[in-house]
Amino acid sequence: MQTLTGVGVCAGRVIGELVSMPKPVAEPAAGLSLRDEEPEAAVARLQEAAAAVKAELKRRAEAATEKDAADVLKSTALMAGDKALLKNAAKLITGRGLAPERALWEAASDYADQMRALGGYMAERAADIEDVRARLVCQLQGLPMPGIPQREEPFVLTAEDLAPADTATLDPSQVLALVTSGGGPQSHTAILARNLGLPAIVAARDIEGVPDGTEVYVDGATGEIRTEPGADELELVEAWVRSAAARSGFDGRGVLADGTEIPLLANVGTPEDARAAAAAGAQGVGLLRTEFCFLGRDQEPSVEEQVEQYTAILASFPGKKVVVRTLDAGADKPLPFLTDTSEPNPALGVRGYRTDRAVPGVLARQLEAIARAEEATDAEVWVMAPMIATTTEAQEFARMAAAAGLRVPGVMVETPSAAVTADQILRHVKFVSLGTNDLTQYTMAADRMMGSLAELNNPWQPAVLRMVRSTVEGAREAEAEGAGPRNVGVCGEAAADPALAVVLVGLGVHTLSMSARGLAPVAAVLRSVDMGTAQALAALAVQQPSAEEAAAAVRTELSVLAELGL
């Protein structure tokens, strides 16, 4: 038996045959020429190939059952028909006499290199472009499209990483688990795997050396892969199945063993997400991502359009709290009417609240729409701004929210500066919500999309936990100085880790927000500990020298995790 390790990003235990993604399409030979084909005919063939790929991706988007999957496929379809990309490739055909597949390859490669050079979130776009490049070259050469392998029996899928269009079409009834050698815990692949509830491990660097057809045991919680599994591994899988059945539902109440209430909320991004979260028993919404109203558009949606969309979401939670995050544009979510894609480092650029400096008015109109949606429903709306770094920014946002008639303003704590000045910030706003994905990235100076930095980009890092503690202490100081009750929540991916959820509660966090699939396991683990135990485990984690040792120390003390297969 061989044991490999990576970073577990979605719990689950399975045994299955390992099947690799097909090898990437081969690069057309350098200088591959038109030969007997006329340039105009070659350009026309390129355009026909692009139209065919775009149509196929749109068809798959329409057939997708998951909204996130459909959105990814639509985005990839748009990229396949990108006019600038096709125009550049056409110039290489007519100007240098290159064959259309070689011209397309060079044009797309240049585009991907530009994105990669920008770093941060924009670098992730390079993989999208290379995915489209492969699809177009396959279409031109009459080869099968890249994609998830098709097998009669379910299997464990392995790859270096997955393109968004591939990840979006994962069928959990066919793919038992996902193991990648690259990617990080906050990569697109990891996040979508969590949304699907698919056992997943990323940054398992040695998995490429395991031959296809090898039977493997995968534990998505511990990040462990074992070849040639036996009776022990089979029992672990069966225990997971039993525990999953035992915690299949959430009763709508997050509570510790001593009765301390810890409301468990949901992260949502569409009206469909909201309905699913309500059906799962979520006690409200801890993060409403409003970008869905803006992405894929050439101009700002009207106030009336926004009111309609927000109202549809708020209606799913009558009498409950819904935390609405204002537009988090920029970085990996560029908008032509709002952001500058030429920034040298978009992750540290004009994003989130900062866009209001560049294009004043968009935020004010969005706040008006949110206020009108609140008036049309019975939901209790809290509104927060992303990417806040200073007390002045928090104060100005609170003023804008009040001017729109919104009574509960707050901010995201994603930057270390916000964490260490939380006491000052919370004199002006009534709550903060910790976005642990970005907070980890900025605290550790590690691009969250890079698999090679997965060890650093881990919310278990003691430095990140200390940022959480600093934020909670800031809230207490603000309360002591007469600011009134101040709420500290977590809406990042860390909240969905049952063991880390206990630590966050022990650090003093009041509410946790996660995908609807995470509610039941987190609730089950929280019910097994009292506040004293949670505080002791939090202190233990903060004292460790590394993320791995922090997680291991806490997991050792939480025997319920093994009992539940988490």
Side-chain angles (χ1 to χ4, degrees):
M1 177 184 289
Q2 181 183 10
T3 300
L4 311 176
T5 58
V7 179
V9 295
C10 188
R13 298 174 188 159
V14 300
I15 292 175
E17 183 179 299
L18 198 68
V19 175
S20 299
M21 284 286 289
K23 296 297 182 183
V25 62
E27 176 180 353
L32 183 65
S33 65
L34 285 171
R35 297 179 183 171
D36 297 330
E37 190 174 18
E38 292 295 327
E40 293 77 11
V43 170
R45 190 156 62 88
L46 171 64
Q47 293 172 338
E48 290 171 1
V53 171
K54 182 176 180 179
E56 172 60 17
L57 289 168
K58 288 180 67 176
R59 184 193 66 76
R60 291 168 59 188
E62 292 168 357
T65 57
E66 293 281 342
K67 179 67 166 55
D68 288 346
D71 288 344
V72 168
L73 289 166
K74 288 176 184 176
S75 176
T76 308
L78 289 173
M79 193 174 295
D82 185 88
K83 292 181 179 178
L85 173 62
L86 297 176
K87 183 178 180 179
N88 289 339
K91 287 181 179 179
L92 294 175
I93 294 172
T94 58
R96 289 174 48 193
L98 293 181
E101 53 264 49
R102 181 64 202 181
L104 186 282
W105 186 277
E106 291 190 12
S109 297
D110 288 345
Y111 193 8
D113 289 343
Q114 292 172 26
M115 295 297 102
R116 197 170 277 114
L118 293 175
Y121 294 125
M122 293 306 290
E124 188 189 8
R125 304 287 292 176
D128 301 359
I129 297 164
E130 289 165 349
D131 175 43
V132 167
R133 179 186 68 186
R135 294 175 187 279
L136 289 173
V137 168
C138 286
Q139 181 70 26
L140 286 164
Q141 295 181 337
L143 299 174
M145 284 291 119
I148 306 296
Q150 300 297 310
R151 294 287 190 277
E152 291 186 5
E153 297 295 327
F155 57 90
V156 174
L157 179 65
T158 182
E160 179 181 350
D161 203 355
L162 293 181
D166 290 327
T167 312
T169 54
L170 279 176
D171 181 355
S173 69
Q174 284 295 307
V175 179
L176 298 172
L178 176 61
V179 181
T180 65
S181 59
Q186 310 305 339
S187 67
H188 175 85
T189 297
I191 292 172
L192 198 53
R194 294 186 190 103
N195 288 342
L196 291 172
L198 186 70
I201 299 172
V202 299
R205 296 183 179 87
D206 296 328
I207 193 64
E208 293 176 347
V210 181
D212 270 23
T214 302
E215 191 171 53
V216 294
Y217 162 82
V218 176
D219 189 328
T222 65
E224 187 176 54
I225 307 111
R226 303 178 194 172
T227 63
E228 301 180 12
D232 290 345
E233 287 73 32
L234 181 60
E235 172 54 32
L236 288 170
V237 171
E238 291 174 348
W240 163 261
V241 173
R242 291 193 298 270
S243 68
R247 54 174 169 75
S248 59
F250 173 50
D251 65 5
R253 186 184 179 210
V255 62
L256 302 185
D258 58 11
T260 302
E261 298 281 347
I262 306 293
L264 299 183
L265 315 174
N267 296 341
V268 304
T270 65
E272 293 84 357
D273 288 347
R275 289 190 287 271
Q283 294 175 260
V285 172
L287 173 63
L288 167 52
R289 304 181 183 94
T290 58
E291 291 77 45
F292 76 99
C293 283
F294 295 80
L295 293 177
R297 301 178 62 116
D298 294 328
Q299 57 186 3
E300 176 190 354
S302 67
V303 171
E304 287 69 25
E305 288 178 281
Q306 292 183 60
V307 170
E308 181 180 357
Q309 292 294 326
Y310 303 151
T311 300
I313 291 177
L314 298 181
S316 293
F317 292 92
K320 294 183 179 180
K321 178 171 75 174
V322 176
V323 181
V324 182
R325 182 182 68 187
T326 57
L327 182 60
D328 190 16
D332 63 332
K333 297 183 283 289
L335 294 174
F337 56 87
L338 190 60
T339 58
D340 178 7
T341 57
S342 67
E343 289 180 340
N345 194 338
L348 301 178
V350 180
R351 56 170 294 201
Y353 176 75
R354 299 172 182 177
T355 59
D356 193 56
R357 303 175 188 169
V359 187
V362 176
L363 177 57
R365 288 187 287 273
Q366 184 179 27
L367 291 171
E368 177 191 346
I370 294 168
R372 285 173 54 182
E374 180 181 26
E375 292 174 359
T377 67
D378 294 324
E380 178 188 345
V381 172
W382 296 22
V383 63
M384 63 182 179
M387 202 61 179
I388 292 295
T390 70
T391 302
T392 301
E393 289 174 341
Q395 185 176 16
E396 178 59 19
F397 178 73
R399 185 197 64 75
M400 294 181 70
L406 294 161
R407 299 179 297 277
V408 189
V411 302
M412 292 282 289
V413 173
E414 300 163 287
T415 63
S417 63
V420 299
T421 60
D423 59 326
Q424 299 176 23
I425 287 174
L426 282 163
R427 294 186 186 122
H428 303 288
V429 297
K430 296 185 178 181
F431 73 98
V432 294
S433 186
L434 289 142
T436 52
N437 304 354
D438 272 327
L439 182 61
T440 301
Q441 172 175 239
Y442 295 134
T443 299
M444 304 307 298
D447 188 329
R448 71 187 199 184
M449 300 303 173
M450 292 185 63
S452 59
L453 299 179
E455 178 182 352
L456 290 175
N457 208 333
N458 186 329
W460 280 96
Q461 284 287 351
V464 177
L465 298 180
R466 290 181 187 222
M467 287 293 174
V468 176
R469 184 176 64 183
S470 176
T471 304
V472 171
E473 290 173 348
R476 291 170 180 163
E477 289 177 26
E479 290 176 348
E481 294 172 2
R486 292 295 185 260
N487 184 276
V488 178
V490 171
C491 63
E493 292 293 323
D497 179 338
L500 190 48
V502 172
V503 171
L504 294 171
V505 169
L507 290 171
V509 167
H510 304 109
T511 62
L512 300 170
S513 188
M514 63 207 71
S515 67
R517 290 182 181 272
L519 294 169
V522 169
V525 174
L526 291 182
R527 281 195 295 268
S528 73
V529 298
D530 57 23
M531 181 58 79
T533 299
Q535 291 171 339
L537 291 175
L540 178 65
V542 169
Q543 294 165 5
Q544 301 306 309
S546 71
E548 292 73 19
E549 288 165 287
V554 171
R555 292 185 66 87
T556 297
E557 297 297 321
L558 282 173
S559 59
V560 67
L561 295 173
E563 295 170 8
L564 295 174
L566 299 171

